[in-house]
Amino acid sequence: MSDAKGHFLVVGAGIIGLSHAWGLQKLGYQITLIDRKPPGNGASKGNAGHFATEQVFPLADPSLLPQVPSMLMDPLGPFRIKMGYLPKIVPWLARFVCNMLPARRVHNQKVISELNRTALKDWQLLLDEIGRPDLMTINGSLSVFEQTPISTQYRLANRFSRAGVACERLSAEQVAELEPALSSNVTGALWFPQTGHTFDPHQVCKALFDALMEKGARFVESEVETVSGRAEVNLTNGTWLKGDNLLLATGAWSKPFAAQLGHKVPLDTERGYHLMLPHDSGLSRPVASMERKFIITPMAGGTRLAGTVEFAGLSAPMQPRRADVLLPHGKALLPNLDSRLEDGERWMGFRPSLPDSLPVVGRSDSYPQCYFAFGHQHLGLTQAASSAQLLQKIVTGSVAGFLEQSVSANRF
């Protein structure tokens, strides 16, 4: 790959760093990837594998407020705050509540919708470029109901449709025909035909990494101590790396690095869990539960149950029970799922989340050589390719206005 346009240091080799590095490499930049782990071994490895283009509504929803006490009290519930972490998360939660205001929700939803609008097309293009179109299947997804009134199911379907999401409410009989492995307790579902999934999100990362290396990229496996506005990176072994430009794509670890570049971003961490089971789900597409707040995805190695939100920071140990609680939910929807806890592999990852549900993508106003791509919260896999397309336009100066301003680090 020609280095006529210079050298980009890309800090972070998860799905965001890899996809953005590919886009920058296509522009003619020499790429050096830096990560303390092998590529794709963080949240990118253990996500649900769902290209969730239907998720256009910001997480800051006022309807959540009355549900929070019951969710916190439910041992099988999807939401937990570690009490010792509560004082640290309060400022983030305050901003989160502020984003429940109607005007903020309308704005944030518009931005998410725009990022999701071309997500599948952008992923198809990217996977074609690296010769791995097989890594994404566009077979739609279901969000199922067990207790929600039929009238409410139709109302929710209409809400998605009004938001520009292809959505249809299915009856219990239609759901059983589409996915016969599901429980007869399912009373209906929302059908999202324009969504996709991958059988192995880690393999997506590995394929991207291999393509980057084949085109001349370099990988440095090391922890980063500091970054500077001169596009320099100081590794923990004392080595300094210098580039012409720097991209910070360090996910949940981005806050202190952004601060070193003069940006105070209200980033925090949602710890997500999955339970990977070796048994076949019998499903042909992802199935989420609207009431249980988790998702089942058929994977190459079996069945992945994923979900839950836990606020406990980056250093607290994993709580295995947060993964274990997914099994009874999985068996409730899949009665023939012949799995025990001891069969499963527990995993925890760190979602980089901002209170407005929007990522940070773009150039630093303080240091024009430095760029950001982090904070994609639950939609890192979904938005990675379209976010990379946006960054390419920002780098080349061919985009401005609403979207660029809305995801800028300078909005805080």
Side-chain angles (χ1 to χ4, degrees):
M1 176 65 68
S2 169
D3 62 353
K5 288 192 176 181
H7 182 198
F8 243 103
L9 301 181
V10 178
V11 186
I15 192 63
I16 296 297
L18 292 166
S19 57
H20 287 65
W22 177 257
L24 294 168
Q25 193 179 64
K26 286 200 304 177
L27 292 179
Y29 289 96
Q30 180 64 37
I31 302 297
T32 296
L33 278 166
I34 309 160
D35 202 304
R36 61 192 178 93
K37 293 182 178 180
N41 269 266
S44 302
K45 181 177 182 179
N47 63 61
H50 177 34
F51 296 93
T53 53
E54 84 284 4
Q55 294 185 19
V56 299
F57 300 118
L59 296 179
D61 188 329
S63 67
L64 281 176
L65 292 177
Q67 301 177 45
V68 169
S70 61
M71 287 194 295
L72 288 174
M73 295 296 292
D74 183 0
L76 299 182
F79 181 73
R80 175 180 179 268
I81 300 177
K82 184 180 179 183
M83 287 302 102
Y85 195 70
L86 186 58
K88 294 182 180 179
I89 195 64
V90 163
W92 189 96
L93 291 173
R95 284 178 174 263
F96 185 76
V97 171
C98 287
N99 276 283
M100 294 181 181
L101 295 171
R104 294 303 307 164
R105 280 187 56 77
V106 169
H107 172 268
N108 295 342
Q109 180 181 324
K110 184 178 179 181
V111 178
I112 297 170
S113 296
E114 184 61 22
L115 287 170
N116 286 6
R117 182 177 58 85
T118 61
L120 291 186
K121 181 190 72 175
D122 293 337
W123 263 115
Q124 286 175 313
L125 174 64
L126 191 158
L127 292 173
D128 283 344
E129 288 171 347
I130 66 173
R132 292 301 308 271
D134 59 299
L135 287 173
M136 182 172 70
T137 299
I138 299 178
N139 197 28
S141 62
L142 292 173
S143 290
V144 301
F145 304 95
E146 297 168 87
Q147 299 175 337
T148 301
I150 303 300
S151 60
T152 302
Q153 296 179 28
Y154 277 107
R155 181 175 58 79
L156 289 171
N158 290 335
R159 184 187 181 210
F160 278 101
S161 296
R162 289 195 303 271
V165 177
C167 178
E168 180 185 351
R169 190 266 170 184
L170 301 184
S171 67
E173 294 74 20
Q174 289 172 310
V175 173
E177 184 177 351
L178 201 60
E179 293 291 357
L182 286 171
S183 168
S184 59
N185 291 331
V186 171
T187 62
L190 302 185
W191 163 239
F192 299 104
Q194 296 177 8
T195 61
H197 70 279
T198 179
F199 60 83
D200 189 342
H202 191 213
Q203 189 62 38
V204 175
C205 294
K206 291 170 69 175
L208 259 172
F209 177 73
D210 290 344
L212 282 160
M213 294 300 107
E214 288 174 10
K215 296 290 186 179
R218 176 189 175 206
F219 177 60
V220 177
E221 187 171 337
S222 175
E223 191 160 358
V224 172
E225 185 74 29
T226 58
V227 298
S228 88
R230 296 184 299 275
E232 295 175 326
V233 170
N234 182 22
L235 307 181
T236 51
N237 64 8
T239 302
W240 280 90
L241 300 179
K242 177 75 172 76
D244 298 298
N245 295 281
L246 170 70
L247 173 63
L248 190 65
T250 42
W253 287 266
S254 298
K255 185 174 182 177
F257 292 129
Q260 291 168 18
L261 297 175
H263 293 269
K264 188 176 181 180
V265 294
L267 184 75
D268 216 290
T269 306
E270 292 181 51
R271 293 148 54 106
Y273 288 80
H274 84 216
L275 186 66
M276 188 69 198
L277 303 169
H279 305 100
D280 187 349
S281 65
L283 301 175
S284 57
R285 54 183 55 80
V287 173
S289 169
M290 294 290 278
E291 295 144 340
R292 298 174 184 272
K293 309 297 184 188
F294 86 114
I295 186 169
I296 308 168
T297 308
M299 292 273 174
T303 299
R304 180 164 294 177
L305 312 179
T308 77
V309 168
E310 179 186 47
F311 287 102
L314 293 168
S315 58
M318 174 184 179
Q319 296 296 318
R321 179 157 171 75
R322 298 300 298 163
D324 295 349
V325 299
L326 294 167
L327 184 59
H329 289 311
K331 288 191 169 186
L333 287 184
L334 296 171
N336 296 323
L337 185 63
D338 185 23
S339 296
R340 301 166 300 174
L341 278 177
E342 51 266 36
D343 300 327
E345 176 188 349
R346 303 179 182 100
W347 176 91
M348 181 192 73
F350 302 97
R351 301 185 189 107
S353 297
L354 290 152
D356 57 5
S357 296
L358 306 180
V360 170
V361 181
R363 188 193 309 265
S364 167
D365 273 2
S366 304
Y367 299 100
Q369 294 171 283
C370 298
Y371 296 82
F372 303 116
F374 62 82
H376 295 74
Q377 39 101 23
H378 294 249
L379 297 174
L381 177 66
T382 303
Q383 295 176 350
S386 51
S387 177
Q389 291 270 12
L390 174 61
L391 186 70
Q392 289 177 65
K393 294 175 182 177
I394 292 171
V395 169
T396 58
S398 59
V399 66
F402 165 75
L403 188 57
E404 182 179 358
Q405 293 169 7
S406 298
V407 297
S408 168
N410 304 303
R411 71 184 188 266
F412 300 113

